[in-house]
Amino acid sequence: MSIQTKIESLGYKLPPAPQAIAAYIPANRSGNLVFTSGQLPLQDGKLMLVGKLGEEFSVEDVRDAMIQASLNAIAAAAAVCGGPDHLERIVKIGVFVACVPGFTDHHLVANHGSNFLLSVFGEAGRHARFAVGTPSLPLGSPVEVEVTFQVADVS
């Protein structure tokens, strides 16, 4: 099953590749790896949520935002490697969580992205990961995701 078909079978749609909101590119390919810039939960050009974990939001409240940020990462990577079906596997993800001091469930927030990527890529979605808290993220986003993908060829 193609990556796009798998995403659609889960009830989601692969968005167009995100546009940079500052002086960077959304994804960069080096050999058979694609590194995404941090992806926010932007949907149709607008941030889905604004606020912090432990203040405005709980871990469950940001599930859809984590999935959207992960979809944006797939779209960004697909744009630099010839399409989503060239994405062979997930190598690593990094999750940033805007949160109040004392919030310690970063790993549970990250699980929303990890579980989604596993559901899309299957065994090839198993990855290394980090999840950290920060007092703020760009545009007031509660979450940001960066992903390193391995691509099927090096051309």
Side-chain angles (χ1 to χ4, degrees):
M1 182 181 298
S2 77
I3 297 298
Q4 187 150 343
T5 301
K6 183 62 178 176
I7 289 169
E8 290 170 2
S9 77
L10 295 168
Y12 298 97
K13 182 180 175 188
L14 187 64
Q19 299 298 307
I21 60 171
Y24 64 90
I25 56 176
N28 198 7
R29 181 173 177 172
S30 179
N32 69 339
L33 295 177
V34 174
F35 302 88
T36 70
S37 295
Q39 298 297 317
L40 302 176
L42 294 167
Q43 191 173 53
D44 300 322
K46 295 185 179 187
L47 202 56
M48 292 175 66
L49 298 173
V50 173
K52 294 182 180 186
L53 277 288
E55 194 168 272
E56 289 89 358
F57 304 116
S58 71
V59 170
E60 278 309 305
D61 291 336
V62 297
R63 178 184 178 277
D64 290 340
M66 280 295 299
I67 290 170
Q68 185 63 46
S70 299
L71 283 165
N72 291 343
I74 294 169
V80 299
C81 74
D85 290 330
H86 290 272
L87 301 173
E88 192 169 70
R89 66 185 291 262
I90 308 292
V91 177
K92 184 175 183 179
I93 74 168
V95 176
F96 299 91
V97 179
C99 57
V100 298
F103 182 83
T104 60
D105 286 336
H106 313 89
H107 62 295
L108 298 177
V109 172
N111 278 350
H112 295 310
S114 290
N115 291 335
F116 176 73
L117 292 169
L118 283 165
S119 67
V120 172
F121 289 89
E123 190 63 23
R126 293 177 54 84
H127 52 267
R129 179 180 90 184
F130 70 82
V132 297
T134 183
S136 67
L137 288 169
L139 307 178
S141 179
V143 294
E144 183 174 357
V145 177
E146 66 173 38
V147 183
T148 303
F149 295 88
Q150 180 179 319
V151 295
D153 62 3
V154 293
S155 60

